[in-house]
Amino acid sequence: MVERSSHLCQTSLQILLLFSLSQSFRFLSFSLTRQQKRLLFLFVSRENSTHTVFLTSPTDFSPNSRLMAQFQNDELEYVVDDYFDVAEFEDNDAFAENQLRGSQDADSDFEDDFDEQSKVKTDTSAMEARNGKDIQGIPWERLNFTRDKYRETRLKQYKNYESLSRPRQDLEKECLQVEMGKTFYDFHYNTRIVKSTIVHFQLRNLLWATSKHDVYLMQNFSVMHWSSLLRRGKEVLNVSKPIVPTEKRPGLLAQPLSRVQISTMAVKENLLVVGGFQGELICKHINQPGVAFCSKVTTDDNAITNAVDIFQSPTGSMRVMAANNDAQVRVFDVQNFSCLNQFSFDWSVNNTSVSPDGKLVAVLGDSADCLIADAQSGKAIGNLKGHLDYSFSSAWHPNGQILATGNQDTTCRLWDIRNLSESLTVLKGRMGAIRAIKFSSDGRFMAMAEPADFVHIMDTQSGYIKGQEIDLFGEIAGISFSPDTEALFVGIADRTYGSVLEFNKRHHNQYLEAVF
């Protein structure tokens, strides 16, 4: 995890990396001290990989301005500006309420802001895609370059973020040669009614599907529910205003929170768990009003909650595991939200995932090595060597024998826990780190997402040598299979083309699609 002291926070200066679809410019939003009360906007030209900085005051343009007039650049068509810093809102509730689209009412339908006409313009169906419409609704016919040309340019210019500068010339030799071009999941629908957003550029577990019709995602200061059946969005959690936990009992270390920047989330067994930028942990039962538990689990200055996991212990009890930048992993009991265990490691923990039987936990962080630890004691029982940079994602195959780890060295390594001396297989992305990994519940497919543009679906039954590549444009906020494996959802974070895409599993009876 990039330390807040060096990258995300310069004293009181908080840097949020925001990405637009434009490859010629990158947009970063700075929030200064409360006294200064102003934003600075930095635009970085990437012509020939030479960075030229333009600095301008926000008084020069409105927050929603596309800045076309200032830069005279046809490629700079859209700018990401849906990200806000918490401190900027503290003395300006009216501005916050306006930017959050009236989200105080947690029961109001987000869809109310969109009429049927806007749906037609922004959303894309499978039939429209078959008739030639871009699945993200990007009007390539109106741009001065084709999709293929833009893809070619982006592949050449994209710079993968690296924390460790290690030689990587031999990495390609290790990687499995995958036969791409397969289609396991077909495009079904893309909606811009709800839009994923990202707070930290390295954390991409911000979308979860609990059924093929129910998806939860982070959007600014809210967790939204998207019904793919009703095509409606609804806010289920608002963290822009004070949050008071409903669970109150002696010894429970709960405390009110407010203005939480969501860094990670998980949804399982009717429980929503959210992690925050200041070490917050929020637990809400989806079918109950209010928030059951919320607290800051650490007071450390470098306290980002990097990952949360909901799992079942060997005794059958539900647990929540939180991994933080303070090098600690904490385990909570879902029944009463008491902290059962706290494990310490030598580096910031970026990701944890518990094995299907609840006995083992994968621990990944600011180290090239990954650990397998006992989920009850936290004691390391295996050291996974092979990655060249920091890891941020992991997932267990449902059989509990295979672990997948995603790394900033652009690879996903598969490990057989019966022999941890070396990785079983190495899979490579197209252009960036592997920041999200998910297995389908039947173990047939594994999906892995890069920071932007590419999601790869691997057929595990083929030994991972057959794959499907989903080619998109935009930052990927999260991926999730539905529990029945029938759908794969992808969250895209972008000011204009931010969306949720749905892909449906291909069956032999594809002729039925023509009827609908």
Side-chain angles (χ1 to χ4, degrees):
M1 162 64 68
V2 172
E3 292 185 4
R4 294 178 61 226
S5 58
S6 60
H7 286 77
L8 293 178
C9 193
Q10 306 284 344
T11 60
S12 61
L13 180 67
Q14 183 182 17
I15 304 175
L16 299 179
L17 277 87
L18 311 178
F19 301 83
S20 71
L21 285 174
S22 170
Q23 186 62 23
S24 294
F25 288 86
R26 286 201 171 184
F27 174 90
L28 303 104
S29 171
F30 294 79
S31 177
L32 301 181
T33 61
R34 195 177 307 173
Q35 289 76 20
Q36 290 172 296
K37 285 294 180 184
R38 64 198 303 263
L39 294 175
L40 294 178
F41 294 86
L42 218 129
F43 294 86
V44 181
S45 173
R46 302 189 65 195
E47 293 298 329
N48 300 320
S49 299
T50 301
H51 296 252
T52 306
V53 175
F54 301 89
L55 198 60
T56 181
S57 166
T59 57
D60 295 338
F61 48 84
S62 66
N64 293 321
S65 169
R66 290 183 180 175
L67 312 179
M68 294 294 287
Q70 278 93 335
F71 291 99
Q72 301 295 317
N73 188 322
D74 291 337
E75 289 189 8
L76 183 61
E77 183 144 352
Y78 307 103
V79 176
V80 179
D81 58 7
D82 264 350
Y83 298 74
F84 309 100
D85 182 72
V86 172
E88 198 65 29
F89 290 138
E90 291 191 356
D91 299 321
N92 194 346
D93 285 343
F95 176 73
E97 290 167 6
N98 178 58
Q99 294 296 337
L100 291 170
R101 303 173 186 265
S103 60
Q104 302 111 315
D105 182 2
D107 294 325
S108 63
D109 285 339
F110 192 76
E111 184 209 33
D112 292 344
D113 290 341
F114 300 84
D115 57 24
E116 291 300 320
Q117 186 177 2
S118 66
K119 277 189 187 181
V120 172
K121 291 179 180 178
T122 62
D123 289 6
T124 304
S125 67
M127 180 175 290
E128 289 174 316
R130 285 193 292 267
N131 290 333
K133 183 178 179 180
D134 181 82
I135 64 172
Q136 294 178 268
I138 301 173
W140 298 105
E141 67 279 3
R142 301 208 310 265
L143 303 179
N144 59 359
F145 42 81
T146 65
R147 190 186 196 281
D148 289 344
K149 182 62 177 178
Y150 188 71
R151 169 55 67 212
E152 178 185 345
T153 302
R154 189 157 166 85
L155 285 171
K156 289 179 180 178
Q157 294 185 352
Y158 188 87
K159 303 298 181 183
N160 180 52
Y161 182 86
E162 298 177 0
S163 297
L164 301 177
S165 298
R166 293 186 174 184
R168 307 187 182 193
Q169 60 269 22
D170 296 329
L171 189 60
E172 196 81 35
K173 299 177 183 177
E174 288 188 72
C175 297
L176 186 68
Q177 295 300 309
V178 179
E179 180 186 345
M180 286 296 182
K182 304 298 181 182
T183 302
F184 309 124
Y185 284 78
D186 292 295
F187 171 75
H188 181 69
Y189 199 80
N190 179 52
T191 181
R192 281 193 259 163
I193 293 177
V194 290
K195 298 183 178 183
S196 293
T197 51
I198 299 168
V199 170
H200 195 291
F201 74 104
Q202 291 170 310
L203 305 179
R204 304 302 181 91
N205 280 312
L206 296 168
L207 180 143
W208 289 76
T210 57
S211 81
K212 63 182 178 182
H213 301 309
D214 299 283
V215 184
Y216 294 85
L217 65 147
M218 189 271 276
Q219 179 169 325
N220 293 326
F221 286 89
S222 300
V223 173
M224 304 295 298
H225 168 257
W226 168 250
S227 171
S228 61
L229 182 64
L230 301 176
R231 305 274 164 83
R232 299 182 70 181
K234 186 174 183 178
E235 184 182 73
V236 296
L237 176 66
N238 184 304
V239 293
S240 66
K241 296 296 182 181
I243 307 167
V244 179
T246 57
E247 296 280 344
K248 297 178 181 179
R249 62 174 63 90
L252 186 62
L253 299 177
Q255 65 182 103
L257 300 174
S258 64
R259 305 194 187 283
V260 177
Q261 289 178 294
I262 300 173
S263 54
T264 187
M265 60 180 284
V267 187
K268 191 183 295 183
E269 301 293 336
N270 232 7
L271 180 68
L272 164 66
V273 179
V274 167
F277 214 72
Q278 304 294 331
E280 301 95 339
L281 183 68
I282 302 171
C283 300
K284 173 183 171 59
H285 296 290
I286 294 176
N287 59 349
Q288 298 176 16
V291 168
F293 173 80
C294 61
S295 182
K296 284 190 177 182
V297 299
T298 175
T299 57
D300 193 283
D301 289 338
N302 191 22
I304 306 174
T305 304
N306 293 325
V308 290
D309 190 17
I310 304 169
F311 67 98
Q312 191 173 55
S313 72
T315 62
S317 302
M318 294 303 297
R319 303 278 190 260
V320 169
M321 182 173 286
N324 286 73
N325 229 38
D326 63 355
Q328 304 290 311
V329 172
R330 299 168 177 86
V331 181
F332 296 84
D333 177 31
V334 170
Q335 190 67 30
N336 55 27
F337 298 105
S338 60
C339 185
L340 302 177
N341 285 306
Q342 184 170 332
F343 312 134
S344 298
F345 296 90
D346 296 332
W347 23 257
S348 295
V349 182
N350 299 329
N351 179 268
T352 58
S353 58
V354 179
S355 62
D357 62 7
K359 295 180 179 180
L360 300 175
V361 57
V363 184
L364 299 71
D366 285 2
S367 169
D369 297 346
C370 305
L371 300 177
I372 299 289
D374 183 277
Q376 306 305 309
S377 66
K379 181 181 178 180
I381 59 177
N383 197 0
L384 310 181
K385 293 182 176 293
H387 281 303
L388 303 178
D389 209 318
Y390 297 167
S391 296
F392 283 84
S393 58
S394 64
W396 291 84
H397 188 283
N399 66 14
Q401 295 178 354
I402 302 297
L403 172 71
T405 56
N407 192 273
Q408 289 186 157
D409 64 9
T410 73
T411 70
C412 168
R413 288 182 180 262
L414 300 172
W415 312 84
D416 189 326
I417 63 167
R418 296 164 295 186
N419 180 14
L420 297 176
S421 59
E422 61 180 354
S423 55
L424 188 67
T425 302
V426 184
L427 302 169
K428 197 173 187 306
R430 280 287 295 277
M431 66 181 192
I434 304 302
R435 297 220 179 271
I437 304 174
K438 295 291 174 64
F439 280 97
S440 59
S441 61
D442 60 2
R444 173 68 192 275
F445 299 107
M446 185 192 77
M448 60 183 199
E450 301 185 36
D453 294 17
F454 293 106
V455 176
H456 309 274
I457 307 173
M458 304 298 180
D459 178 10
T460 64
Q461 291 185 356
S462 71
Y464 301 87
I465 64 171
K466 295 181 179 180
Q468 174 183 353
E469 183 178 84
I470 299 176
D471 184 330
L472 307 162
F473 287 102
E475 297 296 309
I476 299 171
I479 56 175
S480 183
F481 287 103
S482 61
D484 63 2
T485 76
E486 287 299 313
L488 172 67
F489 295 92
V490 180
I492 297 294
D494 185 82
R495 173 63 182 92
T496 300
Y497 295 108
S499 66
V500 173
L501 295 106
E502 177 184 353
F503 297 83
N504 284 356
K505 184 191 284 187
R506 173 171 285 193
H507 295 283
H508 293 298
N509 57 344
Q510 288 298 296
Y511 68 91
L512 290 177
E513 284 192 0
V515 179
F516 302 100

